[in-house]
Amino acid sequence: MELAEKIIRLKKARNAVILAHNYQIPDVQDIADYVGDSLGLSMQASRTKADVIVFCGVYFMAETAKILSPDKIVLIPDRKAGCPMADMITAEDLRRLKAGHRGAKTLCYVNTTAEVKAECDVCCTSGNAERIVRGAFNKDEEIIFAPDQYLAQYISKKVGREFIMWKGYCPTHLKILPEDIDRERRLHHVAEIIVHPECRSSVTDMADEVLSTEGMYRYVTETDGKEFIIGTETGILHRLRKANPDKMFYPLCERAVCPNMKLTTLEKVLWSLEDMKDEVIVPEETIAKARKSLEIMLNH
Ligand code: 13P
Ligand code: SF4
C-alpha cells in the first residue's frame, strides 16, 4: 500500500484531520485536509470536529492549534520543526519590555511561543495585522508589536502609527533582496511582484503587492493577471501552480527555503498517526491566558 493510502486509512480510523501550512512540501500539501496560512489554520483548528489534529507546519502553529482546541490531541510529525523568529523573544523578554512601557498594549504576531502569547493582549497574523491594529486598539494607545520588526514596520506605514518594536526577523524572508526584484523584473517584465510582509522594508517598498500566504493564493487566483513573481518561502509555489495551471509563477528568490518547514515528510505524518506522537502539550494555565489574545484576534 502506498504511504498516502496508509495515511488516509489511519486518519479515518483515528478521526484525525491533517492541517498543512502553505510552505510544506508538495506531498504533504496533497495529503492534507486543509492547506493555508497561519490565520486559516488557526480557524480550522478552532472549528474542527476531529479528535486528533496532525499539524504539518512549525511548532508555534501546532501550539496555537492546541490552545484553540485544548480538548483535542494535537500531533506534530517532527517536533524539531521550530520557527527561529518565534524563538527570538521569550516571555521574560516581553515582561521586561512591558515593564519599561507601562500602560502600553501588546500585539504579538502569531509567530511566538505559547508563553509569549500568554503575556500579550492581542495576537495577529500577517493576514489580519492591519485590521487588528485598526480595530482592536484605541487611537491614542501605545502598542508594543513583537517579534517581527519588518511586519511591524510595514503595518506602521500602512496605518500611520508608531509602534514599540522588537528586533526579531525571519531568516528565510531576509534572504530576499532588492537585487532579486531588479533581476526578476528584467526577466519577466509583465509579471506582478507579490511579497510577504516578513520581507525587509527595502523589498516590500518595491513590490506591487504585499500579502500573507493565503492573501497571495487568493490574489493570484482571482485576478486576471497571468504572470507572478512570488517573494516568500518557495513551498507556496506548488499550491499556486496547482490551482492556476494557466498562469506562470516565478520564485523571487530560490534561497527562500525554510528548513524547518521542510522537516515534515509523508513518512513522518504516517508515523505520527501510527504512534500518536509527538503530542503537543501546553500547560493549562498558559492555554487559559494565551487563548484570550487569540480569541480577540479571531473575533475581529
Ligand atoms: P502566513 O501566515 O502568511 O502563512 O505566514 C506564516 C509564516 O511563518 C511566514 O513565514
Ligand atoms: Fe518562521 Fe520564517 Fe520559517 Fe515562517 S518562514 S516558519 S517565520 S522561519
Side-chain angles (χ1 to χ4, degrees), residues 177-248:
L177 300 171
E179 65 211 53
D180 294 317
I181 297 200
D182 290 335
R183 184 195 58 247
E184 292 304 311
R185 241 194 196 128
R186 272 196 307 274
L187 288 171
H188 314 286
H189 45 269
V190 296
E192 284 176 73
I193 300 190
I194 310 173
V195 306
H196 196 275
E198 284 175 18
C199 292
R200 60 184 75 227
S201 307
S202 51
V203 167
T204 49
D205 284 348
M206 288 168 80
D208 297 312
E209 300 289 336
V210 181
L211 296 166
S212 76
T213 59
E214 197 61 24
M216 291 182 185
Y217 175 81
R218 237 177 286 128
Y219 182 83
V220 303
T221 306
E222 288 166 11
T223 189
D224 291 335
K226 292 280 182 225
E227 286 187 53
F228 306 92
I229 296 164
I230 302 296
T232 191
E233 211 277 347
T234 56
I236 196 173
L237 291 162
H238 171 67
R239 184 166 173 227
L240 302 184
R241 287 177 176 142
K242 196 170 151 185
N244 299 280
D246 57 326
K247 300 188 180 183
M248 296 297 290

Side-chain angles (χ1 to χ4, degrees), residues 21 23 37-39 60-61 109 111 125-126 170 173 196 198 212-213:
H21 188 265
Y23 299 159
D37 68 350
S38 310
L39 179 61
F60 78 79
M61 296 180 177
Y109 191 23
N111 296 39
T125 71
S126 60
C170 163
H173 283 84
H196 196 275
E198 284 175 18
S212 76
T213 59

Side-chain angles (χ1 to χ4, degrees), residues 12-269:
K12 280 201 190 118
R14 302 262 195 235
N15 189 24
V17 66
I18 301 179
L19 305 183
H21 188 265
N22 286 316
Y23 299 159
Q24 291 289 291
I25 61 168
D27 282 352
V28 171
Q29 291 193 28
D30 292 346
I31 197 75
D33 296 291
Y34 178 86
V35 183
D37 68 350
S38 310
L39 179 61
L41 294 168
S42 303
M43 283 171 7
Q44 291 294 323
S46 68
R47 288 183 197 145
T48 184
K49 298 243 177 328
D51 296 319
V52 178
I53 299 171
V54 182
F55 207 106
C56 304
V58 290
Y59 203 82
F60 78 79
M61 296 180 177
E63 260 185 352
T64 305
K66 182 68 187 175
I67 295 164
L68 291 169
S69 277
D71 302 336
K72 317 268 174 198
I73 295 173
V74 177
L75 302 174
I76 184 155
D78 190 327
R79 70 175 306 119
K80 291 189 298 303
C83 167
M85 182 208 284
D87 294 334
M88 286 177 191
I89 187 165
T90 63
E92 184 49 36
D93 290 332
L94 186 54
R95 277 193 291 271
R96 236 179 286 128
L97 186 61
K98 288 197 313 187
H101 298 275
R102 296 213 183 270
K105 287 277 167 64
T106 313
L107 175 61
C108 281
Y109 191 23
V110 73
N111 296 39
T112 42
T113 61
E115 291 76 28
V116 169
K117 287 187 180 76
E119 285 295 329
C120 80
D121 297 301
V122 188
C123 264
C124 72
T125 71
S126 60
N128 63 14
E130 183 182 345
R131 193 170 73 236
I132 298 287
V133 171
R134 291 191 195 278
F137 297 91
N138 293 331
K139 289 243 169 340
D140 50 355
E141 254 166 354
E142 256 201 313
I143 303 176
I144 296 172
F145 196 154
D148 186 7
Q149 60 184 299
Y150 296 109
L151 176 66
Q153 280 170 27
Y154 174 70
I155 300 296
S156 168
K157 276 188 215 158
K158 289 230 49 152
V159 302
R161 197 168 169 164
E162 297 287 320
F163 301 123
I164 301 152
M165 294 179 202
W166 190 256
K167 291 281 181 189
Y169 59 89
C170 163
T172 298
H173 283 84
L174 220 62
K175 290 185 176 153
I176 303 175
L177 300 171
E179 65 211 53
D180 294 317
I181 297 200
D182 290 335
R183 184 195 58 247
E184 292 304 311
R185 241 194 196 128
R186 272 196 307 274
L187 288 171
H188 314 286
H189 45 269
V190 296
E192 284 176 73
I193 300 190
I194 310 173
V195 306
H196 196 275
E198 284 175 18
C199 292
R200 60 184 75 227
S201 307
S202 51
V203 167
T204 49
D205 284 348
M206 288 168 80
D208 297 312
E209 300 289 336
V210 181
L211 296 166
S212 76
T213 59
E214 197 61 24
M216 291 182 185
Y217 175 81
R218 237 177 286 128
Y219 182 83
V220 303
T221 306
E222 288 166 11
T223 189
D224 291 335
K226 292 280 182 225
E227 286 187 53
F228 306 92
I229 296 164
I230 302 296
T232 191
E233 211 277 347
T234 56
I236 196 173
L237 291 162
H238 171 67
R239 184 166 173 227
L240 302 184
R241 287 177 176 142
K242 196 170 151 185
N244 299 280
D246 57 326
K247 300 188 180 183
M248 296 297 290
F249 298 96
Y250 316 104
L252 175 54
C253 169
E254 300 271 9
R255 296 179 300 273
V257 176
C258 174
N260 295 287
M261 283 284 183
K262 306 306 181 208
L263 286 175
T264 309
T265 60
L266 271 194
E267 265 183 326
K268 290 182 193 170
V269 173

